[in-house]
Amino acid sequence: MPSWGEILQEIQHQVETTGNPPDIDGIRRRYLKQLHEHTGRSVIVYAADMFGMAGPMASINLQDMVGMMEVFRDLPGPDLDLILTSSGGQAEATDRIVRYLRTKFTNVRVIVPLAAMSAATMWSMAADEIVLGKHSQLGPIDPQITLPNTGVPMPAGALTEQFREAQRECAQDPSKITGWLPTLQQYPPGLLNFCESATELSKQLVAEWLETYMFADEADPGTHAQEVSAWLADDKTHLSHSRAITRENLTSRGVKVVKLEDDETLQDLVLSVHHATQHTFGGSAVKLIENHLGRAFVQHGGQFMAMPQQVPQA
């Protein structure tokens, strides 16, 4: 398996021997094609630059539906491997993408080479099974709310609990209103209802997908799905929205997780695709949606570019 550094050496060697700019797309697509040949399944990469300065541009949003439409074209079903790397985004957009994806593919594996957090964790729960390495992680799905006067994302559950705490204390001792007033003045109208609705949406979507797909063959899929979704959304359990949820955490809750290391060839190819994708983000690209046929939809710093189907050579 080429490491991140070895793929960098491959890129540098290409520049030195040809005198041309590196063909990072060609390197990435070669490994994608090899991955498809190994599994016999269609492959899609959805990857965002989690570690650069892309910010909101790298988040899951409804614009991604255009990218999914692009890479679904000519892509055979019913089996799909989705290689997912994302820090998350909009639950509503994730809902639309999942429902569209499931009209095309009946068996979906989500493969997480490094991290799929927040709304990307929600997306993972719409799979039939999740493939994780020792180093891979998912994350809590509790919604994060940004108050207009702070600009800092805060857990919806924490905001709700703080508001309830203020209600309890002030009901018991009205003199405490003065102490709570500076905090409560930061809450815009309707915030409590918004937080509660956002939390409920995350739990409802994940529970629905788990019951419909991953837990469908169980005796009581609905109860199991609700238990897992409530656990994933519990900010008091996880304490941080960025906290890693490992494959051991997931299997202990009955989530169907496959160890990436169980298939060494699969591991090598998935990580090679991942490393090549990370090098792609060394340029202007901040998000990549691509299939094994070479059809891609790439966001470059706010601009989008569709790349026509180009089947890579072995």
Side-chain angles (χ1 to χ4, degrees):
M1 171 194 67
S3 66
W4 183 92
E6 288 168 337
I7 288 185
L8 177 59
Q9 291 176 356
E10 182 177 352
I11 293 170
Q12 292 171 337
H13 177 72
Q14 204 178 71
V15 173
E16 292 169 358
T17 56
T18 66
N20 297 319
D23 183 15
I24 300 176
D25 292 335
I27 293 172
R28 186 185 64 248
R29 288 172 175 177
R30 185 173 76 247
Y31 289 119
L32 265 173
K33 181 174 181 288
Q34 292 174 8
L35 176 57
H36 163 70
E37 290 172 346
H38 174 65
T39 64
R41 301 165 64 91
S42 288
V43 184
I44 289 176
V45 174
Y46 179 102
D49 184 6
M50 296 179 60
F51 309 109
M53 302 298 292
M57 290 187 295
S59 68
I60 299 171
N61 57 66
L62 196 57
Q63 180 69 46
D64 294 335
M65 184 68 78
V66 180
M68 300 304 289
M69 293 169 64
E70 178 68 22
V71 300
F72 278 8
R73 187 178 177 185
D74 304 325
L75 197 65
D79 302 329
L80 175 71
D81 284 340
L82 171 65
I83 303 176
L84 182 59
T85 301
S86 171
S87 58
Q90 300 171 1
E92 298 86 349
T94 305
D95 179 30
R96 295 301 305 132
I97 292 169
V98 165
R99 295 184 191 282
Y100 178 55
L101 183 150
R102 278 299 189 165
T103 65
K104 176 75 173 181
F105 301 99
T106 57
N107 184 275
V108 177
R109 290 195 305 187
V110 168
I111 304 174
V112 180
L114 180 59
M117 307 294 286
S118 194
T121 295
M122 295 175 60
W123 192 349
S124 301
M125 294 300 139
D128 294 277
E129 62 183 16
I130 307 170
V131 182
L132 299 173
K134 295 177 182 177
H135 53 279
S136 304
Q137 67 179 65
L138 303 186
I141 65 170
D142 57 308
Q144 304 296 290
I145 308 300
T146 301
L147 298 180
N149 55 338
T150 66
V152 179
M154 298 183 66
L159 290 171
T160 302
E161 178 56 33
Q162 186 177 55
F163 192 88
R164 298 298 189 198
E165 181 183 356
Q167 283 184 318
R168 291 192 298 268
E169 290 191 6
C170 293
Q172 295 171 0
D173 183 358
S175 67
K176 291 187 176 182
I177 293 177
T178 302
W180 275 106
L181 193 58
T183 297
L184 297 178
Q185 285 178 330
Q186 299 181 52
Y187 287 12
L191 178 66
L192 183 62
N193 290 337
F194 181 80
C195 288
E196 291 175 339
S197 296
T199 300
E200 189 60 28
L201 177 63
S202 295
K203 292 193 292 186
Q204 280 187 9
L205 290 175
V206 168
E208 176 189 341
W209 296 336
L210 286 171
E211 181 178 1
T212 303
Y213 304 115
M214 190 180 294
F215 299 162
D217 295 333
E218 297 182 4
D220 188 2
T223 298
H224 189 191
Q226 290 176 8
E227 290 172 350
V228 171
S229 65
W231 167 67
L232 287 171
D234 189 354
D235 62 290
K236 291 184 178 180
T237 294
H238 303 292
L239 302 179
S240 169
H241 191 63
S242 299
R243 189 172 186 181
I245 296 178
T246 66
R247 66 187 187 189
E248 290 77 19
N249 299 144
L250 293 162
T251 53
S252 71
R253 298 282 174 164
V255 178
K256 294 181 181 178
V257 175
V258 175
K259 296 180 179 180
L260 182 59
E261 300 85 8
D262 286 350
D263 184 336
E264 291 186 4
T265 302
L266 178 69
Q267 176 184 226
D268 288 352
L269 292 170
V270 165
L271 293 180
S272 295
V273 169
H274 174 68
H275 295 320
T277 301
Q278 295 306 302
H279 283 295
T280 304
F281 294 142
S284 62
V286 297
K287 186 185 292 181
L288 170 71
I289 307 173
E290 185 173 37
N291 64 26
H292 72 270
L293 300 175
R295 191 181 294 278
F297 190 80
V298 188
Q299 182 175 358
H300 292 271
Q303 296 182 344
F304 296 88
M305 180 175 66
M307 302 172 68
Q309 178 175 331
Q310 297 174 358
V311 178
Q313 301 300 312

